[in-house]
Amino acid sequence: MTGPTPPPASCPIGWQPSALTPVFHGMREYSPAEGAPTRVRVFFPSLDGAVATAPILDGCGRYPLIIFAHGHCANDPNHFRKWIQLPAQLARSGYVVAVPELTHISILPQNASHPSVPVLGALLNWMRQNWEHSDVLMPAERTGVAGHSYGALLAAWFATVTPNVAAYAGLSGTWQELNVTLPIVALNRPKLIVAGHPAEDSFTELNAAQWSALPIPRHRATFANGRHFDYLPAGQTPCDPERGPCPPLALAAADLVTMFFAKYLWPEHSPHLPGRVPDNLVPPPLNLTPEQEFYAGSHLIGMPAMTGANCAYTLDFQVPLRPVPHVVGLPMVPARQQVIAAGFRPTLTGLGTWVSAQSPAGGSSAPSGSTVRLTLRSGPIP
């Protein structure tokens, strides 16, 4: 695929929302009174800016489901309601995101027998079978899980016993509190690990041996001055009321999580996304129509704002190598299409109508999302 596939004729816009073509979002809260296994907020794509009453964007194709597990914050009985920025951005990007209340999250998740694991399982079943908009969800194998702090550990344990989880993201998981093999070592699925500096974000660092033990593809973002609750606005929760010196960090973390899921868990009509998302997960420039620009305000603005010493960060990743297609001698258009279809980003140099040289060479291997330089020439193709 070289680009997004057209959405059904029933779609009121000309595209299905994705990380690179967002819309607005809506949100509803459900409780056991509506049949949900626990109180849960569900975020979803919408064309209406009134979040609490906005209808779901239906008729544009199906969306992956992401379950987000909040962490432990004592004396904050509604902590699950404090997570807005991240699930909202994912919803704008073509995902349905369920953020449940986890009443046992104060118990350190040491194994998959944690009392909240069956709650997540029941929620997953309810969303797919009984949620009022279950028909907009992609099949079970298109499910992602994410979490923060104890919720990151819990989500990882849940993923080890849930075979249909396609990708995992953890924010400041307190891995060093576990006295067992880390659950993410057993996850043979794409994973993203986000944390602050060990001096500021205790127990979250993976040492070199633990990082190398993670199956690939693996991605990691470390914010030099990041603190444990920097993903939430200051004053929103009684936990860690002070925030670190880098205000854009919350938005930047949301950007990285959004691009991670875009690369490995894309909406139904966006199979082109893996080739457009770099392996370092830094968002590429948006290329939008005027209609799409109407919906794209304040989208993916976090990473560009990460400037200056207070906002230093490092990005690590290891992904499988892919074979580079041989396109020398082909006309420019099909050559470019083949490079994109193989999961790379073509760049064109020179003037002409056909490819006279390429780098890396055809038949070599390179990380997905990397650049293939195509040199163009005019005249007859030899």
Side-chain angles (χ1 to χ4, degrees), residues 253-333:
D255 286 358
L256 294 172
V257 173
T258 300
M259 300 312 295
F260 168 74
F261 282 117
K263 191 171 187 67
Y264 297 106
L265 187 67
W266 53 91
E268 183 175 21
H269 296 290
S270 299
H272 66 297
L273 285 178
R276 290 199 59 192
V277 176
D279 288 335
N280 64 7
L281 304 182
V282 175
L286 300 181
N287 182 18
L288 304 175
T289 66
E291 183 183 7
Q292 290 169 339
E293 288 177 351
F294 173 78
Y295 297 100
S298 301
H299 185 66
L300 299 178
I301 61 174
M303 289 301 292
M306 295 290 287
T307 59
N310 286 339
C311 291
Y313 61 89
T314 57
L315 303 174
D316 303 313
F317 58 89
Q318 187 171 358
V319 298
L321 299 180
R322 295 186 179 188
V324 178
H326 182 85
V327 295
V328 171
L330 293 182
M332 177 187 66
V333 172

Side-chain angles (χ1 to χ4, degrees), residues 176 195-207 222-227:
Q176 303 310 326
H197 189 277
E200 304 286 352
D201 195 6
S202 301
F203 305 109
T204 62
E205 181 185 26
L206 296 180
N207 60 40
T222 305
F223 296 104
N225 294 300
R227 297 182 181 177

Side-chain angles (χ1 to χ4, degrees), residues 18-379:
S18 75
L20 301 182
T21 51
V23 290
F24 297 148
H25 79 282
M27 186 274 295
R28 297 287 187 278
E29 186 168 321
Y30 302 87
S31 72
E34 287 87 34
T38 184
R39 292 194 297 169
V40 57
R41 282 186 158 186
V42 180
F43 296 75
F44 47 80
S46 179
L47 300 182
D48 191 326
V51 174
T53 59
I56 192 169
L57 176 56
D58 200 355
C60 293
R62 296 173 296 174
Y63 309 118
L65 172 64
I66 297 175
I67 305 291
F68 182 86
H70 65 82
H72 171 47
C73 179
N75 303 316
D76 191 359
N78 291 305
H79 189 62
F80 79 107
R81 288 176 170 167
K82 306 302 171 60
W83 287 91
I84 299 174
Q85 167 62 38
L86 176 55
Q89 179 158 301
L90 287 169
R92 296 185 65 193
S93 302
Y95 299 91
V96 171
V97 186
V99 185
E101 178 184 34
L102 301 169
T103 56
H104 295 97
I105 197 61
S106 61
I107 303 172
L108 176 65
Q110 285 278 17
N111 52 55
S113 298
H114 190 277
S116 290
V117 168
V119 175
L120 295 181
L123 175 64
L124 185 61
N125 290 335
W126 180 79
M127 288 292 298
R128 293 199 169 278
Q129 297 174 15
N130 301 111
W131 181 49
E132 59 181 322
H133 301 295
S134 60
D135 59 316
V136 306
L137 298 177
M138 293 183 72
E141 61 270 16
R142 305 301 289 167
T143 300
V145 294
H148 170 248
S149 190
Y150 277 18
L153 309 185
L154 175 66
W157 286 118
F158 176 67
T160 66
V161 295
T162 307
N164 286 324
V165 171
Y168 164 86
L171 305 177
S172 292
T174 55
W175 308 109
Q176 303 310 326
E177 288 194 77
L178 298 180
N179 55 21
V180 296
T181 301
L182 304 187
I184 47 177
V185 172
L187 284 182
N188 193 24
R189 281 153 270 181
K191 58 195 66 64
L192 167 65
I193 308 298
V194 182
H197 189 277
E200 304 286 352
D201 195 6
S202 301
F203 305 109
T204 62
E205 181 185 26
L206 296 180
N207 60 40
Q210 290 170 327
W211 170 247
S212 344
L214 300 186
I216 59 174
R218 57 179 182 247
H219 301 260
R220 176 169 60 175
T222 305
F223 296 104
N225 294 300
R227 297 182 181 177
H228 200 65
F229 281 89
D230 274 357
Y231 312 102
L232 299 174
Q236 192 175 43
T237 171
C239 294
D240 284 2
E242 294 184 1
R243 294 295 183 268
C246 178
L249 188 153
L251 294 172
D255 286 358
L256 294 172
V257 173
T258 300
M259 300 312 295
F260 168 74
F261 282 117
K263 191 171 187 67
Y264 297 106
L265 187 67
W266 53 91
E268 183 175 21
H269 296 290
S270 299
H272 66 297
L273 285 178
R276 290 199 59 192
V277 176
D279 288 335
N280 64 7
L281 304 182
V282 175
L286 300 181
N287 182 18
L288 304 175
T289 66
E291 183 183 7
Q292 290 169 339
E293 288 177 351
F294 173 78
Y295 297 100
S298 301
H299 185 66
L300 299 178
I301 61 174
M303 289 301 292
M306 295 290 287
T307 59
N310 286 339
C311 291
Y313 61 89
T314 57
L315 303 174
D316 303 313
F317 58 89
Q318 187 171 358
V319 298
L321 299 180
R322 295 186 179 188
V324 178
H326 182 85
V327 295
V328 171
L330 293 182
M332 177 187 66
V333 172
R336 183 175 181 275
Q337 290 174 339
Q338 285 193 28
V339 170
I340 294 174
F344 301 103
R345 293 183 296 161
T347 62
L348 306 178
T349 62
L351 298 175
T353 58
W354 59 277
V355 178
S356 62
Q358 69 176 86
S359 177
S364 62
S365 297
S368 63
S370 56
T371 297
V372 176
R373 186 176 300 276
L374 307 179
T375 302
L376 302 180
R377 286 188 60 183
S378 296

